Each structure stands twice: as C-alpha cells, then as structure tokens.
Amino acid sequence: MVFDYIDGAAGYGLGDELNQQAIREMRLQTRILIDVENRSIKKSIFGMDCRLPFGISPMGMCNLSCPGADLILARFAAEHNIPIGASTAASTSLESIGKAAGGNAWFQLYFGGDEDVCDELINRAEQAGYDTLIFTVDVPEVGRRPRELRHGFKMPFKIGPRQFLDFALHPQWSINSLRSGAPQLANFDGTNSAFDRTRSRAGVSWAYLDRIRKRWKGKLVVKGVLHAGDAKRLVEHGVDGIQVSSHGGRQLDSVQCAILALANIRNAIGEDVPLIYDSGIRTGEDICKAYALGADFVMLGRPLLFAMAAGGEKGLHQLGDVIAQETSIALAQMGLNDINQLDSTVLL
Ligand SMILES: Cc1cc2nc3c(=O)[nH]c(=O)nc-3n(C[C@H](O)[C@H](O)[C@H](O)COP(=O)(O)O)c2cc1C
C-alpha cells in the first residue's frame, strides 16, 4: 500500500510515464578536447547557494517511506544548503521540519477549503521563520489514483483488515513503523480543524492568490503550472517564482508533458522570473536537461522517498552522491565546467 501511494499516479499512470519517457528520449550534444577538470554543479535560487543541483519537492506523509523521513530530508537539506518543501500534509510539523532544515525549508500550502485554517498555517510558517511559501494550485480536485483506492489508502492513516494483512506481509516496515508510531498529519495535531486530503479545492481562484500575495511578505512560488498564459498572468499577480510541474502525473492521467511545458513557459515569460521544475526527474542527466530547457532550479520527488525506503538516511545520502556524480559526468561529456553554462544548445 505504501509503495503504491508513493509510486502511484492518476489513472493508468501515463501522465507520469510519458513525461519520464520524453525526458529520457532527449539527447545531449557531446563535445571533445575541452579541459573539464574543474567542474561545478552548484546552483543558486532565491539567494541560496546550493551545493547540490536539486531540491526536495514538497511531499505529504513522507514518514510512510521510513520512520523519521521528514527529518532525514530536512537534515539533508541543511547539510547541502538546498531547499526542502514542507508539505501542508507532512507527517512532521512545519516547526520541526523548519528547525531541522536550518532555514532551508519552504512551506507548501494547500488550500483545504477553509480560509481560517490556511491563515493559521501561514501565521505558523511565518512565526517559525519560513521565508518562502509554495502555493500548490494543481489540485482543484484530488486525482483518482487507482493503486491507492485498491488498497483503501487514507490520510489520516487507517488500519483495517486489508491493511493489517498487507502489514503482516511486510514485517520489516511494520515493526519499524510500529516502534515509531503510525505517521500522522502532523500539522493538524488537534490544534486546528482536521485537514481532509480529498476535500475539493475547486473554489481557489486568482482572487485567492491575490489575498495570499498580500498576506505573505516573503517569496511566493506557485506550484503546478503548465500553461504559458497562466505563467504570464502569475507574473502580473506578483509571484516571485513559478514551479512548472505535473505533480508527477498524480493528478491527471492525460496531462501534457511537464518537461515540454517548461520550455514553452520559459519562452513565454523571458529570463527574469525564476522557474523551478519538478516531475519525472530521475538522474543527473535528467537534471541537466531541465536546466538546458530553462529551469533555474530542479526539485525531486519520488526518488528521495524510494532511497529512504530502501536505505534510510544512508540511502538518501547515497542517492545524493549518485545524482551529483551523474550530473558532473554529464557536464564533462558535454565539455562544460559549470552547470550554469547549460542552455538549449546542448539539446539535440
Ligand atoms: C508521496 C507524494 C506526496 C506528495 N505530496 C505533495 C504535497 O503534499 N504537496 C505538493 O505540492 N506536492 C506533493 N507531491 C508532488 C511532488 O511535490 C512533486 O510534484 C512530484 O513528486 C514530482 O514528480 P516526481 O515524483 O516524478 O519527481 C507529492 C508527491 C509524492 C510522490
């Protein structure tokens, strides 16, 4: 059930699959006899000098992947000075994630249907010292994910006979999780009305974005953008960054390829507005392609959870090392010394 929650997507999973395929099919131009002995894979975003070329996209209920996953990710973000999205639906409170991430956490807001609950979350994020808010807007209704439905996956976590059998068949996960307690929606620990992940957010409008823009004094990133016209309008409404994303194909099976939308949006809005990209990035070469298509920063989702599910904190560090190495090798092959030199000329 947990694997299907993390790995799953809307419908047949084609939105996720076709995007990954589109990224994989892109070819990179190699160059020869250029001294590429000293290479840098450092990127910066909103004044943060990141030691890795990717950040951590916001994900709910990460502790399902392994106990303490949110804090493992937060420590990783602090160590490498990279951003981590702390989800509204996180399994660790935004205060604890913010503290462990040492100022690198960005709070991700879902409008849960109640403006007071959102205001309270924004107040808490502000008090906890967050300076960047990611407002996710690509979930007007939660996508139907058959793999989750099949198992009766619910948040808050519910254990019925079916789940009990599933846990019995995965004793290692179950014993570890039992020891540390079943993951909860930690931002809603009895202090405010419960968050319903499946609740409609269809009422969220441009007017609500304006309300948030007025309220939030820090950086505001809008996540889940695929239409160039929407991106232009977001700039007019004063956002500081746009996260181009198809939510890893978790919302709409027939969704367009996010990686192609990235290039369109970059062309439409010019060079000045920071574009963050996520969806379908699996390797260092994928990261290079997203930067070549105009991203200012790249975020990863599922691979981080898989790394922790397989190897805990050590697994996450191993993944970080592999991706850093792959990125650096790809730069060498392209005859580049610095990841910031990537542009459309490397794409065939
Ligand atoms: C288990 C899981 C939970 C997620 N929860 C959230 C969330 O709470 N808020 C949000 O904005 N995006 C959420 N996302 C989407 C990610 O931020 C990101 O857009 C997506 O995972 C990127 O695609 P990738 O998994 O192919 O890298 C979630 C993704 C996964 C896999």
Side-chain angles (χ1 to χ4, degrees):
M1 177 174 77
V2 171
F3 176 69
D4 280 343
Y5 163 62
I6 297 171
D7 191 52
Y12 294 107
L14 285 176
D16 176 32
E17 211 175 295
L18 291 177
N19 187 45
Q20 286 191 47
Q21 197 179 320
I23 297 171
R24 255 180 245 136
E25 281 175 2
M26 287 174 185
R27 304 286 91 198
L28 296 170
Q29 178 67 66
T30 59
R31 300 298 299 273
I32 57 165
L33 296 175
I34 297 167
D35 178 353
V36 285
E37 224 163 24
N38 297 311
R39 297 187 299 282
S40 166
I41 57 165
K42 291 182 190 153
K43 290 294 297 184
S44 69
I45 179 81
F46 296 148
M48 289 172 76
D49 290 321
C50 306
R51 287 189 281 276
L52 283 175
F54 66 89
I56 300 163
S57 209
M59 287 177 284
M61 298 298 279
C62 292
N63 287 357
L64 286 171
S65 68
C66 84
D70 286 312
L71 294 180
I72 293 176
L73 287 169
R75 285 195 291 271
F76 185 79
E79 185 179 331
H80 297 284
N81 208 36
I82 59 172
I84 170 174
S87 166
T88 293
S91 40
T92 304
S93 73
L94 66 94
E95 288 82 4
S96 303
I97 294 178
K99 205 168 152 201
N104 292 312
W106 298 355
F107 180 61
Q108 179 267 323
L109 181 72
Y110 269 137
F111 176 76
D114 182 334
E115 291 190 0
D116 291 342
V117 172
C118 280
D119 288 347
E120 194 183 323
L121 285 168
I122 292 174
N123 291 342
R124 279 174 59 193
E126 209 169 51
Q127 272 160 24
Y130 281 74
D131 55 16
T132 302
L133 184 76
I134 305 176
F135 181 34
T136 300
V137 294
D138 59 358
V139 192
E141 300 288 351
V142 176
R144 277 181 66 85
R145 301 182 196 140
R147 289 166 64 184
E148 281 180 19
L149 295 171
R150 201 174 300 135
H151 294 290
F153 180 84
K154 285 209 167 52
M155 285 200 294
F157 213 40
K158 294 231 164 56
I159 303 178
R162 198 184 177 113
Q163 290 77 23
F164 190 81
L165 179 68
D166 190 352
F167 295 159
L169 294 171
H170 299 89
Q172 195 185 341
W173 184 93
S174 304
I175 290 165
N176 285 343
S177 297
L178 258 183
R179 264 202 220 117
S180 37
Q184 304 288 341
L185 289 163
N187 285 324
F188 301 90
D189 223 9
T191 50
N192 42 21
S193 52
F195 172 79
D196 179 357
R197 169 181 178 249
T198 58
R199 190 165 167 180
S200 172
R201 294 161 192 139
V204 177
S205 64
W206 289 93
Y208 189 67
L209 172 71
D210 289 340
R211 189 174 179 276
I212 292 195
R213 177 63 290 184
K214 220 166 140 201
R215 166 69 189 79
W216 181 258
K217 303 295 172 223
K219 297 263 189 263
L220 177 62
V221 174
V222 172
K223 173 173 182 281
V225 183
L226 293 170
H227 187 281
D230 286 345
K232 275 184 167 169
R233 196 164 169 195
L234 284 170
V235 178
E236 287 158 19
H237 284 247
V239 305
D240 300 290
I242 293 173
Q243 190 154 341
V244 177
S245 164
S246 62
H247 216 109
R250 291 168 77 83
Q251 299 307 328
L252 183 68
D253 198 21
S254 306
V255 71
Q256 74 209 82
C257 275
I259 198 74
L260 301 180
L262 169 64
N264 283 342
I265 292 177
R266 175 52 82 207
N267 287 338
I269 64 167
E271 296 298 318
D272 294 342
V273 182
L275 280 186
I276 298 164
Y277 177 81
D278 77 67
S279 291
I281 298 293
R282 295 292 176 268
T283 68
E285 290 185 25
D286 292 353
I287 287 178
C288 290
K289 291 170 187 175
Y291 286 126
L293 286 164
D296 291 285
F297 202 70
V298 172
M299 297 279 208
L300 260 67
R302 295 181 186 92
L304 305 166
L305 299 187
F306 291 139
M308 290 185 294
E313 191 147 12
K314 207 169 147 217
L316 182 66
H317 282 268
Q318 201 178 338
L319 177 75
D321 290 345
V322 168
I323 291 187
Q325 214 178 66
E326 287 170 345
T327 310
S328 180
I329 292 171
L331 288 181
Q333 289 287 333
M334 289 182 276
L336 301 176
N337 292 292
D338 191 328
I339 195 164
N340 295 297
Q341 292 170 318
L342 282 166
D343 61 20
S344 59
T345 59
V346 303
L347 290 167
L348 294 171

